[in-house]
mmCIF file of all heavy atoms in Angstrom:
data_model
loop_
_atom_site.group_PDB
_atom_site.id
_atom_site.type_symbol
_atom_site.label_atom_id
_atom_site.label_comp_id
_atom_site.label_asym_id
_atom_site.label_seq_id
_atom_site.Cartn_x
_atom_site.Cartn_y
_atom_site.Cartn_z
ATOM 1 N N GLY A 38 -119.050 65.975 -61.110
ATOM 2 C CA GLY A 38 -117.836 66.573 -61.636
ATOM 3 C C GLY A 38 -116.791 65.606 -62.152
ATOM 4 O O GLY A 38 -116.999 64.425 -61.935
ATOM 5 N N ARG A 49 -104.899 79.552 -58.413
ATOM 6 C CA ARG A 49 -105.822 79.712 -57.240
ATOM 7 C C ARG A 49 -107.296 80.068 -57.615
ATOM 8 O O ARG A 49 -108.180 79.383 -57.015
ATOM 9 C CB ARG A 49 -105.195 80.795 -56.361
ATOM 10 C CG ARG A 49 -106.081 81.052 -55.113
ATOM 11 C CD ARG A 49 -105.301 81.967 -54.140
ATOM 12 N NE ARG A 49 -106.222 82.345 -52.991
ATOM 13 C CZ ARG A 49 -106.335 81.544 -51.966
ATOM 14 N NH1 ARG A 49 -105.735 80.385 -51.927
ATOM 15 N NH2 ARG A 49 -107.091 81.944 -50.950
ATOM 16 N N HIS A 56 -113.779 74.493 -55.459
ATOM 17 C CA HIS A 56 -114.289 74.344 -54.090
ATOM 18 C C HIS A 56 -115.783 74.821 -54.005
ATOM 19 O O HIS A 56 -116.590 74.088 -53.411
ATOM 20 C CB HIS A 56 -113.499 75.122 -53.128
ATOM 21 C CG HIS A 56 -113.911 75.000 -51.706
ATOM 22 N ND1 HIS A 56 -113.490 73.956 -50.909
ATOM 23 C CD2 HIS A 56 -114.731 75.781 -50.970
ATOM 24 C CE1 HIS A 56 -114.126 74.097 -49.717
ATOM 25 N NE2 HIS A 56 -114.854 75.210 -49.740
ATOM 26 N N TYR A 60 -120.162 72.219 -53.712
ATOM 27 C CA TYR A 60 -121.398 72.283 -52.932
ATOM 28 C C TYR A 60 -122.614 71.949 -53.642
ATOM 29 O O TYR A 60 -123.685 71.604 -53.131
ATOM 30 C CB TYR A 60 -121.575 73.609 -52.207
ATOM 31 C CG TYR A 60 -120.592 73.881 -51.122
ATOM 32 C CD1 TYR A 60 -119.351 74.716 -51.369
ATOM 33 C CD2 TYR A 60 -120.683 73.279 -49.893
ATOM 34 C CE1 TYR A 60 -118.445 74.883 -50.424
ATOM 35 C CE2 TYR A 60 -119.685 73.493 -48.897
ATOM 36 C CZ TYR A 60 -118.591 74.352 -49.139
ATOM 37 O OH TYR A 60 -117.629 74.530 -48.228
ATOM 38 N N ILE A 61 -122.536 71.935 -55.039
ATOM 39 C CA ILE A 61 -123.706 71.548 -55.795
ATOM 40 C C ILE A 61 -123.409 70.302 -56.546
ATOM 41 O O ILE A 61 -124.117 69.875 -57.566
ATOM 42 C CB ILE A 61 -124.093 72.690 -56.784
ATOM 43 C CG1 ILE A 61 -122.983 72.959 -57.894
ATOM 44 C CG2 ILE A 61 -124.498 73.940 -56.145
ATOM 45 C CD1 ILE A 61 -123.347 73.842 -58.993
ATOM 46 N N VAL A 66 -115.813 62.333 -60.192
ATOM 47 C CA VAL A 66 -115.043 61.101 -60.780
ATOM 48 C C VAL A 66 -113.737 61.513 -61.245
ATOM 49 O O VAL A 66 -113.514 62.428 -62.035
ATOM 50 C CB VAL A 66 -115.967 60.571 -61.921
ATOM 51 C CG1 VAL A 66 -115.175 59.367 -62.528
ATOM 52 C CG2 VAL A 66 -117.292 60.127 -61.482
ATOM 53 N N ARG A 86 -115.261 62.583 -51.265
ATOM 54 C CA ARG A 86 -116.180 63.030 -52.347
ATOM 55 C C ARG A 86 -115.781 62.539 -53.705
ATOM 56 O O ARG A 86 -116.578 62.571 -54.619
ATOM 57 C CB ARG A 86 -116.203 64.579 -52.332
ATOM 58 C CG ARG A 86 -116.662 65.247 -51.063
ATOM 59 C CD ARG A 86 -118.128 65.154 -50.885
ATOM 60 N NE ARG A 86 -118.915 65.666 -52.020
ATOM 61 C CZ ARG A 86 -119.146 66.848 -52.267
ATOM 62 N NH1 ARG A 86 -118.614 67.821 -51.530
ATOM 63 N NH2 ARG A 86 -119.870 67.224 -53.358
ATOM 64 N N VAL A 89 -112.893 57.025 -57.858
ATOM 65 C CA VAL A 89 -111.926 56.752 -58.902
ATOM 66 C C VAL A 89 -112.471 55.739 -59.761
ATOM 67 O O VAL A 89 -112.762 54.562 -59.421
ATOM 68 C CB VAL A 89 -110.575 56.301 -58.261
ATOM 69 C CG1 VAL A 89 -109.599 55.871 -59.405
ATOM 70 C CG2 VAL A 89 -109.994 57.459 -57.431
ATOM 71 N N ALA A 96 -112.484 46.377 -76.288
ATOM 72 C CA ALA A 96 -112.216 45.005 -76.536
ATOM 73 C C ALA A 96 -111.563 44.856 -77.949
ATOM 74 O O ALA A 96 -110.807 43.817 -78.147
ATOM 75 C CB ALA A 96 -113.524 44.194 -76.501
ATOM 76 N N GLN A 102 -104.610 40.817 -82.798
ATOM 77 C CA GLN A 102 -103.418 40.028 -82.811
ATOM 78 C C GLN A 102 -102.180 40.950 -82.862
ATOM 79 O O GLN A 102 -102.138 41.752 -83.722
ATOM 80 C CB GLN A 102 -103.431 39.027 -83.976
ATOM 81 C CG GLN A 102 -102.329 38.005 -84.035
ATOM 82 C CD GLN A 102 -102.506 36.978 -82.912
ATOM 83 O OE1 GLN A 102 -103.624 36.658 -82.468
ATOM 84 N NE2 GLN A 102 -101.363 36.412 -82.460
ATOM 85 N N GLY A 124 -94.799 69.803 -70.719
ATOM 86 C CA GLY A 124 -95.046 68.781 -69.658
ATOM 87 C C GLY A 124 -94.878 67.353 -70.080
ATOM 88 O O GLY A 124 -94.560 66.501 -69.280
ATOM 89 N N ARG A 126 -92.362 66.442 -72.025
ATOM 90 C CA ARG A 126 -90.886 66.244 -71.885
ATOM 91 C C ARG A 126 -90.341 65.346 -73.097
ATOM 92 O O ARG A 126 -89.441 64.551 -72.924
ATOM 93 C CB ARG A 126 -90.495 65.667 -70.599
ATOM 94 C CG ARG A 126 -90.688 66.577 -69.463
ATOM 95 C CD ARG A 126 -89.796 67.828 -69.564
ATOM 96 N NE ARG A 126 -89.663 68.479 -68.294
ATOM 97 C CZ ARG A 126 -90.481 69.395 -67.777
ATOM 98 N NH1 ARG A 126 -91.594 69.787 -68.448
ATOM 99 N NH2 ARG A 126 -90.296 69.947 -66.583
ATOM 100 N N HIS A 141 -75.725 53.009 -80.944
ATOM 101 C CA HIS A 141 -76.736 52.157 -81.462
ATOM 102 C C HIS A 141 -77.343 52.824 -82.677
ATOM 103 O O HIS A 141 -78.405 53.526 -82.579
ATOM 104 C CB HIS A 141 -77.808 51.834 -80.439
ATOM 105 C CG HIS A 141 -77.275 51.289 -79.121
ATOM 106 N ND1 HIS A 141 -76.810 49.991 -79.060
ATOM 107 C CD2 HIS A 141 -77.084 51.837 -77.909
ATOM 108 C CE1 HIS A 141 -76.438 49.726 -77.846
ATOM 109 N NE2 HIS A 141 -76.549 50.828 -77.102
ATOM 110 N N SER A 147 -90.551 57.553 -83.474
ATOM 111 C CA SER A 147 -91.710 58.126 -84.129
ATOM 112 C C SER A 147 -92.484 58.922 -83.081
ATOM 113 O O SER A 147 -92.754 58.363 -81.995
ATOM 114 C CB SER A 147 -92.624 57.026 -84.638
ATOM 115 O OG SER A 147 -92.028 56.346 -85.721
ATOM 116 N N GLY A 150 -98.482 63.066 -82.635
ATOM 117 C CA GLY A 150 -99.134 64.146 -81.779
ATOM 118 C C GLY A 150 -98.715 65.495 -82.301
ATOM 119 O O GLY A 150 -97.804 65.634 -83.155
ATOM 120 N N THR A 163 -82.853 68.425 -84.846
ATOM 121 C CA THR A 163 -81.896 68.888 -85.910
ATOM 122 C C THR A 163 -80.613 69.278 -85.312
ATOM 123 O O THR A 163 -79.545 68.932 -85.840
ATOM 124 C CB THR A 163 -82.575 69.951 -86.786
ATOM 125 O OG1 THR A 163 -83.748 69.531 -87.416
ATOM 126 C CG2 THR A 163 -81.500 70.360 -87.869
ATOM 127 N N LEU A 176 -100.796 64.730 -85.828
ATOM 128 C CA LEU A 176 -101.977 64.082 -85.354
ATOM 129 C C LEU A 176 -102.327 62.958 -86.421
ATOM 130 O O LEU A 176 -102.239 63.085 -87.553
ATOM 131 C CB LEU A 176 -103.168 64.967 -85.307
ATOM 132 C CG LEU A 176 -103.007 66.078 -84.207
ATOM 133 C CD1 LEU A 176 -104.218 67.059 -84.276
ATOM 134 C CD2 LEU A 176 -102.907 65.435 -82.761
ATOM 135 N N GLN A 181 -103.123 52.992 -84.039
ATOM 136 C CA GLN A 181 -102.846 51.562 -83.712
ATOM 137 C C GLN A 181 -101.756 50.991 -84.612
ATOM 138 O O GLN A 181 -100.976 50.149 -84.201
ATOM 139 C CB GLN A 181 -104.126 50.756 -83.828
ATOM 140 C CG GLN A 181 -105.262 51.162 -82.950
ATOM 141 C CD GLN A 181 -104.835 51.411 -81.499
ATOM 142 O OE1 GLN A 181 -104.074 50.616 -81.002
ATOM 143 N NE2 GLN A 181 -105.321 52.465 -80.872
ATOM 144 N N ILE A 203 -100.413 55.319 -72.546
ATOM 145 C CA ILE A 203 -99.754 54.186 -71.861
ATOM 146 C C ILE A 203 -100.598 52.916 -71.883
ATOM 147 O O ILE A 203 -100.133 51.880 -72.246
ATOM 148 C CB ILE A 203 -99.363 54.561 -70.418
ATOM 149 C CG1 ILE A 203 -98.109 55.574 -70.422
ATOM 150 C CG2 ILE A 203 -98.926 53.330 -69.656
ATOM 151 C CD1 ILE A 203 -97.734 55.973 -69.079
ATOM 152 N N LEU A 224 -100.288 52.509 -62.969
ATOM 153 C CA LEU A 224 -100.449 51.699 -64.183
ATOM 154 C C LEU A 224 -99.296 50.637 -64.288
ATOM 155 O O LEU A 224 -99.532 49.525 -64.702
ATOM 156 C CB LEU A 224 -100.391 52.556 -65.437
ATOM 157 C CG LEU A 224 -101.552 53.559 -65.642
ATOM 158 C CD1 LEU A 224 -101.280 54.356 -66.893
ATOM 159 C CD2 LEU A 224 -102.919 52.880 -65.627
ATOM 160 N N ILE A 225 -98.082 51.032 -63.929
ATOM 161 C CA ILE A 225 -96.966 50.188 -64.234
ATOM 162 C C ILE A 225 -96.215 49.809 -62.836
ATOM 163 O O ILE A 225 -95.973 50.570 -62.041
ATOM 164 C CB ILE A 225 -95.938 51.002 -64.991
ATOM 165 C CG1 ILE A 225 -96.443 51.356 -66.332
ATOM 166 C CG2 ILE A 225 -94.603 50.299 -65.197
ATOM 167 C CD1 ILE A 225 -95.702 52.394 -67.149
ATOM 168 N N GLY A 231 -93.418 47.099 -66.938
ATOM 169 C CA GLY A 231 -92.840 48.191 -67.629
ATOM 170 C C GLY A 231 -91.651 48.705 -66.770
ATOM 171 O O GLY A 231 -91.274 48.048 -65.775
ATOM 172 N N ALA A 243 -82.091 57.100 -70.936
ATOM 173 C CA ALA A 243 -81.169 56.393 -71.933
ATOM 174 C C ALA A 243 -80.859 54.996 -71.475
ATOM 175 O O ALA A 243 -80.818 54.081 -72.274
ATOM 176 C CB ALA A 243 -79.963 57.229 -72.109
ATOM 177 N N GLU A 244 -80.560 54.789 -70.187
ATOM 178 C CA GLU A 244 -80.215 53.509 -69.695
ATOM 179 C C GLU A 244 -81.351 52.537 -69.806
ATOM 180 O O GLU A 244 -81.132 51.370 -70.127
ATOM 181 C CB GLU A 244 -79.736 53.609 -68.225
ATOM 182 C CG GLU A 244 -78.436 54.256 -68.045
ATOM 183 C CD GLU A 244 -78.106 54.481 -66.569
ATOM 184 O OE1 GLU A 244 -78.906 54.042 -65.687
ATOM 185 O OE2 GLU A 244 -77.184 55.189 -66.277
ATOM 186 N N ALA A 245 -82.611 53.013 -69.567
ATOM 187 C CA ALA A 245 -83.757 52.178 -69.676
ATOM 188 C C ALA A 245 -83.995 51.709 -71.113
ATOM 189 O O ALA A 245 -84.358 50.550 -71.382
ATOM 190 C CB ALA A 245 -84.955 52.848 -69.101
ATOM 191 N N ARG A 253 -84.049 41.674 -75.803
ATOM 192 C CA ARG A 253 -85.343 41.475 -76.500
ATOM 193 C C ARG A 253 -86.270 40.625 -75.787
ATOM 194 O O ARG A 253 -87.484 40.701 -75.845
ATOM 195 C CB ARG A 253 -85.096 41.010 -77.937
ATOM 196 C CG ARG A 253 -84.309 41.928 -78.856
ATOM 197 C CD ARG A 253 -84.869 43.405 -78.871
ATOM 198 N NE ARG A 253 -84.096 44.314 -79.613
ATOM 199 C CZ ARG A 253 -84.281 44.546 -80.956
ATOM 200 N NH1 ARG A 253 -85.285 43.939 -81.629
ATOM 201 N NH2 ARG A 253 -83.564 45.364 -81.590
ATOM 202 N N ARG A 275 -115.690 47.045 -67.737
ATOM 203 C CA ARG A 275 -115.560 47.408 -66.307
ATOM 204 C C ARG A 275 -115.762 48.934 -66.098
ATOM 205 O O ARG A 275 -116.480 49.365 -65.139
ATOM 206 C CB ARG A 275 -114.163 47.034 -65.814
ATOM 207 C CG ARG A 275 -113.905 47.210 -64.312
ATOM 208 C CD ARG A 275 -113.236 48.542 -64.019
ATOM 209 N NE ARG A 275 -112.276 48.975 -64.978
ATOM 210 C CZ ARG A 275 -111.949 50.236 -65.241
ATOM 211 N NH1 ARG A 275 -112.518 51.169 -64.603
ATOM 212 N NH2 ARG A 275 -111.071 50.462 -66.200
ATOM 213 N N GLY A 289 -130.473 56.408 -56.229
ATOM 214 C CA GLY A 289 -131.050 55.828 -55.064
ATOM 215 C C GLY A 289 -131.024 56.736 -53.832
ATOM 216 O O GLY A 289 -132.009 56.818 -53.072
#
Side-chain angles (χ1 to χ4, degrees):
R49 182 173 173 78
H56 180 84
Y60 289 100
I61 63 170
V66 175
R86 299 285 308 282
V89 175
Q102 187 69 29
R126 293 298 198 271
H141 305 288
S147 294
T163 300
L176 295 175
Q181 303 311 319
I203 288 180
L224 298 177
I225 297 171
E244 288 173 8
R253 299 304 180 93
R275 186 269 320 155

